[in-house]
Amino acid sequence: MSRAPLLDIRRLSRDYASGGLLGGKHVTRALDDLSMSVAPGTIHGIVGESGCGKSTLARLVMALDRPTSGSVHFGGEDLFRLSARDLKRKRRDFQMVFQDPFGSLDPRQTVGRIVAEPLHVLEGKPGKAERRDRVAAMLEAVGLAPDHAARYPHAFSGGQRQRIAIARALITEPKLVVADEAVSALDLSVQAQVLNLLMDLRDRRGVTFLFITHNLAVVDAVADRVGVMYRGRLVESGPAQAVFARPLHPYTRLLADAEPDVTRFGRPDRPPVAVAEPIDFGVGCSFRNRCPLAVARCTAERPELRELEGGPEVRERLTACHRAEGLLETNTPG
Ligand SMILES: Nc1ncnc2c1ncn2[C@@H]1O[C@H](COP(=O)(O)OP(=O)(O)OP(=O)(O)O)[C@@H](O)[C@H]1O
Ligand SMILES: [Mg+2]
């Protein structure tokens, strides 16, 4: 990666403790020593099955939650070491778009108020005329009309509501937008429109996206790079199309096989494979019990993300698998 990363996540872990009914303590490790970085002006996809920790990662990147250990650097600054005041100032630089376009907009407020809200929270009270102009410009940027500002959310379709949510996220001109399953609730044709909008915002405004989904086809259509998560860990990362065309981790291959035509965007949204059992804290690879290639080493030693030896097909790619070289050979198109 040539440019300094906008987002640099280092060894991030998040445990959730829940007291059992009979007094026993149970700990879920939602994120497990995850490191990754995101270059500015790119769309970085995160995929993985339900419960693998995607939303936990999103909350930490947004500084809505604190890690058990590890750090998140945004524009070179460690978010969890900033004072409350500095963090508040920083917040206008990262915004979030959620999954549910119906639940996430207050039905009693006009679209104009909804879109302007981050300005009030993050920039003090802007003047009325300035606010109106910025809202109008933002609505146009997401393909809505300035006079939509006077209406209420119920007057809009799901896709339009998600555009409103994106306008609200962009009004402070953030550098990073975290989109957690932001198109999953939308019809396929509307999904495609919203994905085009995100790519357009990347290209014209240089917005960086952390784009979280369980749908491989969507990531393949929109992302520059992708990280594949399994049980709180990153098991593979690299250029999105290369990763799906030729997985180097057995789990990615399982995902790609379950979704045979990843590149044909427009498939029904569905979780590709079953939900994993609770995470074990043992050493070794967390995927070993489901892995067709597992050997004794996979139980004894935890695989770290690493580069593979090889030609152009492994460039800019990282894999956390002891057996990845074997997969590289069997994967060679021939
Ligand atoms: N506040 C919490 N308290 C306890 N456990 C939690 C909490 N938030 C998440 N978890 C657990 O952490 C793990 C990861 O959850 P997370 O919501 O990050 O998964 P996800 O990848 O976003 O899943 P999905 O695709 O279903 O949205 C799960 O086992 C979940 O039950
Ligand atoms: Mg989630």
Side-chain angles (χ1 to χ4, degrees), residues 50-51 53-56 59 99 180-181 212:
S50 185
K54 303 181 296 294
S55 295
T56 302
R59 282 197 299 276
Q99 168 168 10
D180 189 357
E181 304 280 8
I212 294 169

Side-chain angles (χ1 to χ4, degrees), residues 36-163:
M36 61 175 240
S37 59
V38 176
T42 62
I43 298 179
H44 194 103
I46 297 286
V47 294
E49 62 203 22
S50 185
C52 72
K54 303 181 296 294
S55 295
T56 302
L57 177 65
R59 282 197 299 276
L60 288 169
V61 166
M62 293 296 297
L64 298 173
D65 187 14
R66 295 187 72 83
T68 305
S69 60
S71 64
V72 174
H73 284 75
F74 182 87
E77 284 182 284
D78 185 343
L79 287 186
F80 301 110
R81 285 173 182 269
L82 292 176
S83 67
R85 198 156 140 245
D86 288 342
L87 180 60
K88 187 178 172 193
R89 185 162 349 112
K90 200 89 182 156
R91 279 195 186 281
R92 79 182 59 148
D93 286 341
F94 47 88
Q95 293 284 332
M96 188 148 177
V97 179
F98 295 93
Q99 168 168 10
D100 178 9
F102 292 89
S104 64
L105 305 179
D106 185 341
R108 294 158 305 180
Q109 295 197 345
T110 63
V111 167
R113 272 207 82 83
I114 290 170
V115 172
E117 191 210 57
L119 291 178
H120 293 279
V121 177
L122 298 168
E123 298 191 1
K125 291 241 178 295
K128 208 172 168 187
E130 186 202 334
R131 195 178 66 207
R132 197 185 47 227
D133 289 349
R134 282 174 75 173
V135 168
M138 221 44 257
L139 289 174
E140 283 193 308
V142 299
L144 295 169
D147 65 3
H148 285 152
R151 299 192 201 164
Y152 289 85
H154 66 77
F156 294 89
S157 70
Q160 286 174 321
R161 285 176 198 230
Q162 210 53 323
R163 287 170 191 269

Side-chain angles (χ1 to χ4, degrees), residues 183-184 186-196 218 265 269:
V183 300
S184 306
L186 304 176
D187 288 345
L188 291 174
S189 64
V190 182
Q191 280 190 18
Q193 289 171 19
V194 174
L195 295 180
N196 281 331
V218 165
F265 170 68
D269 215 20

